[in-house]
Amino acid sequence: MTVSALILRQDFETAIDSARSLGPEHAVPGLASPLDVDWAGRIGKVWDRIEQALREAFQYGRERAEELARTAAGEAEELLTAAGHKAYEVHQALLAKLQAYVSTLVDAALARVRSQLILGSATFVLADVELAQMISMAGSLKASITELVSLTSSGEISVTARYSAASNT
């Protein structure tokens, strides 16, 4: 049986908040220390553009969000170029935000899987779950942003749940 589940606005907002919460006071995975306030502010401005594209994709679909995604990706690449010797840290910070967003969306999709099904008098319990996450988080910010906008607009997270009859113990 195939059942569709929707990512709700609340799930989307939680994912956005998760990414946004990685601010200058938080250490970014892979970095020895948090970025200084100036670079964190610049990253925040680029994240605002990415977030705008994600919001447009969630509410209106990919086509309306494509131009915003291209603009956000362009600004992210410009920021990396401007960062010079700080490019690694800036890149890591943006990728960490993107990963926090997608991880939270995946968690929301998994939370939609029912732990049991009742069919007539029979109860079936969740036996296992398979997750097909159709997104490639490449090192390229442009590719990552484009993929996340696509994921947000079309929900390309596939969760397969298998149920077995509950034992009467």
Side-chain angles (χ1 to χ4, degrees):
M1 169 171 66
T2 302
V3 178
S4 295
L6 301 175
I7 298 295
L8 303 176
R9 170 66 72 174
Q10 177 183 344
D11 301 325
F12 171 76
E13 293 298 339
T14 300
I16 289 291
D17 289 345
S18 176
R20 194 182 299 136
S21 72
L22 295 177
E25 69 281 1
H26 295 90
V28 173
L31 299 185
S33 63
L35 287 161
D36 64 46
V37 176
D38 179 48
W39 283 106
R42 292 179 187 195
I43 290 166
K45 287 180 183 177
V46 169
W47 175 255
D48 288 345
R49 289 293 205 168
I50 294 168
E51 184 179 318
Q52 183 182 14
L54 293 171
R55 286 185 181 286
E56 195 78 6
F58 181 78
Q59 188 151 350
Y60 300 109
R62 186 168 145 187
E63 287 180 15
R64 279 191 52 180
E66 283 180 345
E67 183 60 35
L68 291 171
R70 277 193 293 277
T71 299
E75 288 183 16
E77 290 176 345
E78 287 173 17
L79 182 62
L80 284 182
T81 301
H85 70 282
K86 289 262 188 201
Y88 173 81
E89 289 90 346
V90 170
H91 190 235
Q92 283 298 107
L94 285 168
L95 288 176
K97 284 181 172 294
L98 294 170
Q99 185 58 51
Y101 172 80
V102 76
S103 293
T104 304
L105 273 187
V106 168
D107 290 348
L110 289 171
R112 299 277 176 249
V113 176
R114 294 171 54 182
S115 61
Q116 70 178 17
L117 298 172
I118 299 173
L119 302 172
S121 62
T123 300
F124 296 86
V125 296
L126 183 62
D128 69 27
V129 173
E130 285 183 24
L131 173 67
Q133 190 175 348
M134 298 166 69
I135 185 165
S136 171
M137 291 300 288
S140 163
L141 288 172
K142 182 178 181 179
S144 296
I145 292 166
T146 302
E147 287 291 325
L148 283 182
V149 166
S150 179
L151 170 73
T152 301
S153 65
S154 64
E156 294 177 4
I157 300 172
S158 176
V159 178
T160 303
R162 289 185 182 71
Y163 297 86
S164 59
S167 61
N168 295 332
T169 9

